Amino acid sequence: MPAGLAVVALTVVIRAALHPLVRHAFRASRDGRAGCLPILVQIPIVSAVYRLFTASVIAGHANALLAQSFLGVPLGQHLLASAGPDVLVFLVLAVAIAAVAWGAYRFSRRTTSAPVLPDGTSPEVAAAMARTARLLPALSFGSVLAVAVVPLAASVYLLTSTAWSLAERMWLHHTLSAVSS
């Protein structure tokens, strides 16, 4: 399997394996007990993928993955080190990630309710929580910025993972909303 498709396949396998945890976190968030465990579990995986496509030597041997390409661009290459047609591949990925981020932003704004605060919460804390709730949906746009500084393989991972995440959240919202109504 070409390495670029292997990154996509790896992402799908990881996200499918995390689905029960995401489902639990989604249900908990609907009860006011939001968690970030699914994100935390992915950090070592993303770090490993990043390292695989930045290390010139792995286990004492030249890293053969760096010779692999996706759409003609080496998977270890960064946008900032690219020129000519290679830049177009990164721009297409950035636009695709931006489109997914926009969809996630719109979906979150449409479906997220105000946080439930305990009795006696100070007005300052309530205002800070409201600002945070407005800001959180916009964080998905950070993935677009990442395309400029991470290897192409990590950008492919980000696109696949963010698209999966949006589809999964939409499906869970639809499925669990239908069950609870």
Side-chain angles (χ1 to χ4, degrees):
M1 175 183 297
L5 290 179
V7 171
V8 171
L10 171 71
T11 308
V12 168
V13 167
I14 291 166
R15 294 306 308 255
L18 289 174
H19 178 72
L21 189 58
V22 171
R23 186 181 188 101
H24 176 75
F26 185 85
R27 283 187 175 147
S29 72
R30 295 185 68 196
D31 298 333
R33 301 176 291 119
C36 58
L37 189 57
I39 294 169
L40 294 176
V41 169
Q42 286 186 76
I43 290 173
I45 297 163
V46 172
S47 297
V49 170
Y50 180 84
R51 184 72 180 136
L52 281 173
F53 289 95
T54 57
S56 58
V57 176
I58 295 178
H61 302 285
N63 186 352
L65 290 173
L66 296 179
Q68 298 291 318
S69 65
F70 182 73
L71 301 174
V73 179
L75 284 166
Q77 188 167 315
H78 296 72
L79 171 62
L80 298 176
S82 299
D86 291 359
V87 172
L88 183 60
V89 172
F90 284 97
L91 292 178
V92 167
L93 277 172
V95 167
I97 290 172
V100 173
W102 176 251
Y105 174 79
R106 301 265 311 169
F107 180 75
S108 290
R109 298 285 293 190
R110 193 176 73 239
T111 60
T112 303
S113 57
V116 177
L117 302 174
D119 292 337
T121 301
S122 72
E124 295 83 15
V125 170
M129 291 294 291
R131 283 191 304 273
T132 302
R134 285 191 305 272
L135 174 68
L136 283 176
L139 291 179
S140 56
F141 290 103
S143 297
V144 178
L145 300 174
V147 171
V149 295
V150 300
L152 179 61
S155 295
V156 171
Y157 179 93
L158 279 173
L159 174 59
T160 308
S161 185
T162 55
W164 176 287
S165 180
L166 175 58
E168 184 176 50
R169 284 186 10 224
M170 292 172 75
W171 180 79
L172 285 169
H173 179 77
H174 174 73
T175 302
L176 295 179
S177 294
V179 169
S180 63
S181 54

